[in-house]
Amino acid sequence: MVTRLVVKKKKERKLKQIAIYGKGGIGKSTTTSNLSAALADMGYRVMQFGCDPKADSTNTLRDGSYIPTILDLLRENGRVEARDAIFEGYNGIYCVESGGPSPGVGCAGRGIITAVQLLKQQNVFEELGLDYVIYDVLGDVVCGGFAVPIREGIAKHVFTVSSSDFMAIYAANNLFKGIQKYSNAGGALLGGVIANSVSGGYQKAIVDDFVAQTNTQVLQYVPRSITVTQSELSGKTTIEADPTSDQAKVYRELAKRVEAHEVSVTPKPLDPRELREWAGKWSDQILAVERGEVRSAGAQI
Ligand code: ADP
Ligand code: MG
């Protein structure tokens, strides 16, 4: 069911568009939804724009319910009015899902291109007087559609969610290549890494080393937390389900850092050989600590 779409009065507000990328399952939608919820609680008008064919970005903003995607609506009706594709979520957050093609057919990024064009053509961002549009984008696949928020300079700042797992870092490094490629042509730049499921020890040391090697920074460390699991099972963000928890404080801190963030940069991705050597160095270090050969402050396991 389409919920009420309130077109709020335009004020002198500056729209900040940001994109959150990262490998599938790394915690993009969880982090993005909590960020949106925290920004909404700070009084901002926020749109969360899910750009993953899974189309599950916004469901914890809507009590666990899924919304029809822009591509679904297009398939059903041949055309889409923006107001039919925008659903209200927690604390007035505008929720949109681009969706994807039927499984096995066409480019998975196609939905993003279509969805972004549609909302732009219909001047939705201006009419709603938004402060933030946050794109939650699957970052494993490097193809035209998934690059749209970066390439067209639609988003100004890109953040990537990564853990210390090599495949997450590998996906982040690929994203950095994409950002670097479009950076001279007015594309989005990198704001930093949101280190998810990173509490300290060697996990923190690995992520810290990776950002130092690639000319970026960690915007926020987000620990792995059972509070997130519990909130998700209740169909809500942690900000909504458990607002006084330590984890909610972490997401509020993240929102403040996003609010204060002004300057993004061109990252320096590692080439395949450098990345292999970097990973090999960490492998040796962890092995040495496990065998008790060395004691490293950064590599406590
Ligand atoms: P993505 O959007 O990147 O595919 P999700 O946000 O859907 O990933 O997260 C995948 C799973 O990991 C979800 O079940 C989510 O609850 C869990 N998760 C993500 N971040 C955390 C965290 N900090 N603590 C506990 N669980 C988390
Ligand atoms: Mg997701």
Side-chain angles (χ1 to χ4, degrees):
M1 268 302 286
V2 177
T3 53
R4 184 171 48 98
L5 171 61
V6 187
V7 179
K8 292 175 178 169
K9 249 177 108 188
K10 218 189 287 182
K11 267 194 195 165
E12 282 310 306
R13 289 173 182 255
K14 200 168 174 332
L15 173 63
K16 204 168 175 181
Q17 301 202 60
I18 63 179
I20 314 275
Y21 278 74
K23 109 181 226 309
I26 201 63
K28 293 179 298 296
S29 301
T30 307
T31 310
T32 307
S33 300
N34 277 289
L35 170 62
S36 294
L39 287 168
D41 284 358
M42 287 156 77
Y44 289 115
R45 291 172 191 170
V46 181
M47 174 180 281
Q48 183 162 317
F49 199 129
C51 300
D52 186 324
K54 269 194 295 175
D56 62 352
S57 173
T58 57
N59 63 344
T60 55
L61 295 170
R62 294 182 33 84
D63 291 324
S65 73
Y66 290 78
I67 60 176
T69 70
I70 290 192
L71 281 196
D72 286 341
L73 294 167
L74 260 181
R75 271 192 290 264
E76 277 161 31
N77 310 323
R79 66 187 306 269
V80 182
E81 288 298 321
R83 60 177 53 235
D84 296 332
I86 302 173
F87 295 79
E88 204 175 334
Y90 171 76
N91 204 355
I93 295 170
Y94 298 105
C95 302
V96 179
E97 298 279 354
S98 67
S102 311
V105 186
C107 164
R110 182 74 219 155
I112 306 176
I113 301 175
T114 310
V116 169
Q117 277 171 353
L118 191 117
L119 296 200
K120 264 171 86 177
Q121 274 163 10
Q122 299 186 16
N123 281 331
V124 171
F125 303 156
E126 294 79 5
E127 278 191 19
L128 295 177
L130 297 177
D131 299 298
Y132 286 93
V133 179
I134 311 182
Y135 300 87
D136 170 10
V137 196
L138 179 66
D140 306 44
V141 190
V142 183
C143 87
F146 290 104
V148 163
I150 300 175
R151 195 184 60 204
E152 318 261 309
I154 290 169
K156 192 159 181 219
H157 307 283
V158 176
F159 298 97
T160 181
V161 177
S162 181
S163 66
S164 61
D165 289 346
F166 182 67
M167 287 323 292
I169 296 223
Y170 181 83
N173 194 61
N174 273 344
L175 170 70
F176 294 178
K177 287 183 193 167
I179 295 173
Q180 189 184 45
K181 182 168 168 196
Y182 297 114
S183 60
N184 289 331
L189 296 180
L190 184 67
V193 172
I194 300 167
N196 191 37
S197 297
V198 172
S199 306
Y202 80 95
Q203 296 171 331
K204 179 174 181 298
I206 287 176
V207 175
D208 285 348
D209 189 31
F210 175 67
V211 299
Q213 301 288 329
T214 51
N215 190 37
T216 182
Q217 58 167 345
V218 172
L219 190 74
Q220 178 79 32
Y221 300 97
V222 180
R224 191 153 188 89
S225 156
I226 191 71
T227 315
V228 172
T229 312
Q230 189 277 326
S231 311
E232 186 187 40
L233 288 169
S234 74
K236 296 187 191 317
T237 61
T238 300
I239 292 285
E240 182 178 8
D242 203 347
T244 58
S245 61
D246 287 346
Q247 192 75 1
K249 278 186 206 131
V250 172
Y251 290 125
R252 281 209 194 85
E253 187 60 40
L254 171 65
K256 282 194 203 121
R257 290 184 184 178
V258 166
E259 180 192 39
H261 181 83
E262 298 283 349
V263 183
S264 290
V265 299
T266 306
K268 282 203 298 219
L270 301 176
D271 67 31
R273 187 185 47 79
E274 289 169 331
L275 189 60
R276 186 86 294 292
E277 280 172 11
W278 176 85
K281 185 194 75 181
W282 274 103
S283 167
D284 293 346
Q285 195 160 328
I286 292 171
L287 190 65
V289 173
E290 268 191 327
R291 287 181 173 162
E293 290 165 11
V294 293
R295 279 189 56 119
S296 158
Q300 286 157 4
I301 298 169

